[in-house]
């Protein structure tokens, strides 16, 4: 329990909220997010992710153990969420009913943590409620949360309704449903895609999910690259109007050049962890 509380404090920097840099896309989206029009050339190299995370005021970086093993020793100071499952986007999901399975066992993760001494504070896992593969992923997720807590680690579930049975992945009511599901799996944090706006706007749509998650803290994925002021405005409303417990941002950070990405992370952290106003954060 003491270790769990220490990890919680470190991950949230004592605020109860997280600023999570999502860096698992090299599997999820292959090279699409790292090369092409509008994407900084810096992003071509996987090390870009580590350069940003080591220089910016982030909370934690979520990525696969393989990348942590390759680069982690050269970037002391970064705290990690080990993303234990991932899949590529090659099979179109509507046809396929997505399935994403755990890559490493907890015993293997324990050995890696011991031998590397890198600060892995939490584990992450994506579930796709609505997929035909749902039963196996829910079982794996429940066990992962249990195993994480046994070790004093936190557990973060990415909960994305997806598959042939899902008509609208961004339906606010459905997103609230999967947030509640993550609570039943025992997750400390649940990461959802931002729901479609309903009467009352984006924050009102997200509020249903925050309430459904209860004591499981809810955060939103960042989505495709957007302008800095628009992103920060949305984030501010997610936290201060809807009651979200932070953010999980990937492409919006790493698709920028190193100095821009660092400044952007610091602005996100200012809102998420440091109580900055929207204007103060935009000025960073
Ligand atoms: P972004 O901030 O780039 O949207 O990343 C959030 C994220 O959940 C990643 O952690 C994950 O790799 C990806 O989005 C999954 O995207 P998709 O919805 O295409 O499966």
């Amino acid at each position: 329990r003491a270790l769990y509380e220490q990890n919680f404090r470190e991950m949230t920097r004592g605020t109860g909220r997280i600023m999570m840099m999502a860096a698992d896309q090299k599997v999820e989206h292959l090279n699409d997010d790292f090369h092409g029009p509008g994407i900084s050339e810096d992003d071509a190299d996987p090390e870009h992710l580590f350069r940003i995370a080591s220089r910016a005021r982030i909370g934690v970086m979520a990525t696969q153990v393989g990348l942590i093993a390759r680069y982690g020793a050269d970037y002391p100071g970064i705290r990690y969420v080990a993303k234990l499952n991932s899949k590529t986007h090659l099979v179109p999901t509507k046809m396929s009913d997505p399935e994403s399975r755990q890559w490493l066992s907890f015993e293997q993760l324990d050995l890696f943590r011991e031998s590397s001494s890198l600060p892995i504070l939490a584990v992450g896992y994506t579930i796709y409620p609505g997929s035909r593969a749902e039963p196996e992923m829910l079982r794996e997720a429940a066990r992962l949360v249990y195993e994480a807590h046994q070790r004093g680690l936190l557990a973060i579930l990415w909960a994305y309704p997806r598959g042939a049975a899902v008509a609208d992945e961004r339906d606010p009511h459905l997103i609230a449903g999967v947030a509640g599901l993550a609570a039943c799996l025992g997750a400390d944090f649940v990461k959802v895609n931002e729901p479609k706006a309903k009467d009352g706007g984006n924050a009102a749509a997200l509020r249903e999910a925050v309430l459904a998650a209860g004591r499981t803290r809810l955060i939103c994925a960042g989505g495709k690259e957007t302008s800095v002021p628009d992103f920060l405005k949305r984030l501010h409303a997610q936290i201060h109007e809807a009651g979200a417990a932070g953010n999980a941002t990937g492409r919006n950070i790493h698709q920028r050049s190193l100095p821009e990405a660092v400044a952007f992370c610091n602005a996100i952290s200012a809102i998420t962890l440091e109580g900055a106003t929207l204007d103060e954060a935009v000025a960073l």
Side-chain angles (χ1 to χ4, degrees):
R1 187 78 207 167
L3 182 56
Y4 174 87
E5 276 163 14
Q6 184 188 323
N7 284 337
F8 182 79
R9 269 195 309 277
E10 266 195 52
M11 207 168 95
T12 65
R13 307 268 170 160
T15 66
R17 295 190 187 131
I18 49 173
M19 186 306 186
M20 182 162 88
M21 180 174 153
D24 60 338
Q25 293 93 342
K26 287 194 80 71
V27 179
E28 299 289 344
H29 299 160
L30 296 178
N31 217 33
D32 297 356
D33 294 338
F34 302 90
H35 174 85
I39 300 179
S40 162
E41 271 205 11
D42 288 358
D43 205 14
D45 181 351
E47 199 159 354
H48 184 53
L49 301 165
F50 292 81
R51 291 188 187 111
I52 299 167
S54 65
R55 285 176 210 193
R57 297 198 301 267
I58 68 160
V60 280
M61 170 168 154
T63 193
Q64 292 87 9
V65 171
L67 267 196
I68 302 173
R70 275 275 168 218
Y71 297 95
D74 293 334
Y75 293 91
I78 304 178
R79 299 167 168 101
Y80 296 99
V81 177
K83 183 79 194 304
L84 289 186
N85 72 338
S86 284
K87 63 155 197 53
T88 76
H89 61 352
L90 286 176
V91 182
T93 53
K94 282 285 174 202
M95 286 157 46
S96 74
D97 285 302
E99 177 168 11
S100 187
R101 298 293 296 273
Q102 191 170 325
W103 288 9
L104 292 178
S105 68
F106 269 88
E107 290 67 34
Q108 289 165 327
L109 183 67
D110 289 343
L111 287 175
F112 176 69
R113 287 167 58 220
E114 273 163 37
S115 61
S116 68
S117 300
L118 292 168
I120 293 178
L121 310 183
V123 293
Y125 183 95
T126 303
I127 53 171
Y128 295 107
S131 161
R132 258 187 274 263
E134 176 193 293
E136 199 43 50
M137 286 185 286
L138 295 192
R139 179 171 171 271
E140 213 165 68
R143 289 168 182 222
L144 170 132
V145 173
Y146 174 82
E147 293 284 351
H149 288 166
Q150 288 295 309
R151 289 160 171 80
L153 299 173
L154 280 88
I156 306 179
L157 295 180
W158 283 225
Y160 295 162
R162 196 164 289 174
V166 176
D168 181 358
E169 293 182 10
R170 302 278 178 150
D171 174 357
H173 194 55
L174 182 55
I175 290 186
V178 301
L181 167 55
C184 296
L185 290 166
D188 299 287
F189 286 86
V190 57
K191 175 182 176 204
V192 295
N193 278 318
E194 189 176 49
K196 274 189 328 206
K198 64 179 185 188
D199 294 346
N202 290 58
L206 187 62
R207 182 75 188 146
E208 183 184 343
V210 170
L211 294 174
R215 291 187 183 184
T216 293
R217 291 155 199 258
L218 183 136
I219 54 178
C220 271
K224 286 201 180 109
E225 210 246 324
T226 174
S227 80
V228 171
D230 284 353
F231 185 95
L232 295 177
K233 191 169 168 210
R234 201 175 68 191
L235 174 67
H236 194 271
Q238 285 172 355
I239 293 177
H240 294 289
E241 292 173 37
N247 72 285
T249 312
R251 287 164 284 183
N252 260 286
I253 295 174
H254 64 71
Q255 289 182 339
R256 302 176 196 277
S257 68
L258 183 59
E260 286 173 357
V262 169
F264 187 50
C265 279
N266 291 345
I268 295 174
S269 286
I271 290 177
T272 306
L273 305 174
E274 295 154 21
T277 63
L278 182 55
D279 288 343
E280 285 165 347
V282 171
L284 290 172

